[in-house]
Amino acid sequence: MILLVGLLPVPAAAQLLLPTPELRVEKDCGICPEMVILPDGLYMSRAPVMVEEFRAYVQETGYKNDGWGCKWNFPGFEQGPRHPATCITYQGAQIYADWLRSKTGKPYRLPTAEELTYAVMASETTNYWWGQQIGRDRATCLGCGRAMDAVGTTPVDLHEANPFNLLDAVGNVWIWTSDCNSATCEERILLSGGWSSPPSDLRMSKRVFNGVSVPFNTYGIRVVRDFE
């Protein structure tokens, strides 16, 4: 005899969750950024592209940003080699990703807003990946709980990594995405907040946009690489 029993709802605590990825850092070249593998298979730079990485790229390629505004090597405050590179335009970010692609033969590009949000939030649905409140010393922003808030950038490994192993998941620098703000794509969307941003700007629901040739000392880069 077969006894048929109605299915009961599975308690939330017992639901099968996507496991936290094992920390595995890869580099496709000596001066390439460190990449981590997200649970969906996408590779993403573990941190925003750092000053030391961007400097190596500039030295190899002779890259120059001759337009108006701040420069990557003169952002208006002191930076160390492990600070995120700033004053990068969208065009400059795209050229950097193109250079990584040609140097390594790997499919590097800039992240979409959806990809960046997924990586930053690490499957959490709260305001920030660590919870509802900004707390103290979780990120670099104006009001994030450090005595030197809003003075400039900080090293990318100053704060705890998120569950997907991203450093500086939010704060420190806004990140250019490949998403357009209009049909003409004259402006691109940035996410994640910067060192001078209030805590509300670090929520991934907050989006700003700017022209592709506009540099600010709060703008930086992350890159992604598609799974092959």
Side-chain angles (χ1 to χ4, degrees):
M1 180 178 67
I2 300 175
L3 181 64
L4 298 178
V5 180
L7 296 177
L8 297 176
V10 179
Q15 292 178 3
L16 181 63
L17 300 177
L18 191 66
T20 300
E22 179 184 354
L23 176 57
R24 192 170 114 204
V25 177
E26 297 185 6
K27 286 173 68 87
D28 290 318
C29 70
I31 59 176
C32 293
E34 293 182 339
M35 307 294 286
V36 294
I37 307 174
L38 304 179
D40 65 356
L42 185 70
Y43 289 74
M44 180 172 284
S45 55
R46 190 178 185 215
V49 174
M50 294 182 289
V51 169
E52 63 182 3
E53 294 165 340
F54 201 78
R55 178 180 289 113
Y57 152 71
V58 170
Q59 291 172 345
E60 181 167 307
T61 65
Y63 167 83
K64 291 183 179 180
N65 177 13
D66 294 325
W68 68 275
C70 64
K71 309 300 180 184
W72 74 269
N73 56 347
F74 192 70
F77 46 80
E78 186 176 350
Q79 287 192 299
R82 294 188 62 78
H83 284 231
T86 66
C87 299
I88 311 297
T89 65
Y90 174 83
Q91 294 168 333
Q94 186 64 61
I95 292 170
Y96 177 75
D98 290 344
W99 170 77
L100 286 173
R101 186 183 306 117
S102 63
K103 184 175 182 66
T104 65
K106 305 288 187 179
Y108 280 90
R109 57 181 174 82
L110 300 183
T112 66
E114 182 179 5
E115 288 167 341
L116 188 60
T117 299
Y118 165 73
V120 165
M121 292 307 297
S123 300
E124 298 296 334
T125 58
T126 48
N127 289 334
Y128 312 98
W129 65 261
W130 58 82
Q132 287 293 104
Q133 304 300 321
I134 192 64
R136 293 187 61 82
D137 206 15
R138 290 284 196 168
T140 297
C141 78
L142 176 60
C144 280
R146 294 184 64 83
M148 298 298 287
D149 277 353
V151 173
T153 57
T154 58
V156 299
D157 50 4
L158 180 64
H159 304 289
E160 178 187 4
N162 82 347
F164 285 178
N165 300 318
L166 292 188
L167 297 170
D168 268 358
V170 294
N172 226 355
V173 286
W174 290 93
I175 299 297
W176 285 108
T177 74
S178 59
D179 286 13
C180 303
N181 188 52
S182 64
T184 61
C185 283
E186 293 177 352
E187 295 178 324
R188 300 285 176 153
I189 293 172
L190 300 102
L191 299 177
S192 79
W195 57 268
S196 63
S197 300
S200 59
D201 282 359
L202 274 60
R203 300 181 185 184
M204 295 306 285
S205 58
K206 174 72 174 184
R207 300 186 175 195
V208 300
F209 50 88
N210 218 327
V212 297
S213 61
V214 176
F216 276 115
N217 62 6
T218 55
Y219 291 0
I221 318 171
R222 272 189 202 270
V223 291
V224 296
R225 175 162 71 76
D226 292 311
F227 178 78
E228 296 178 289

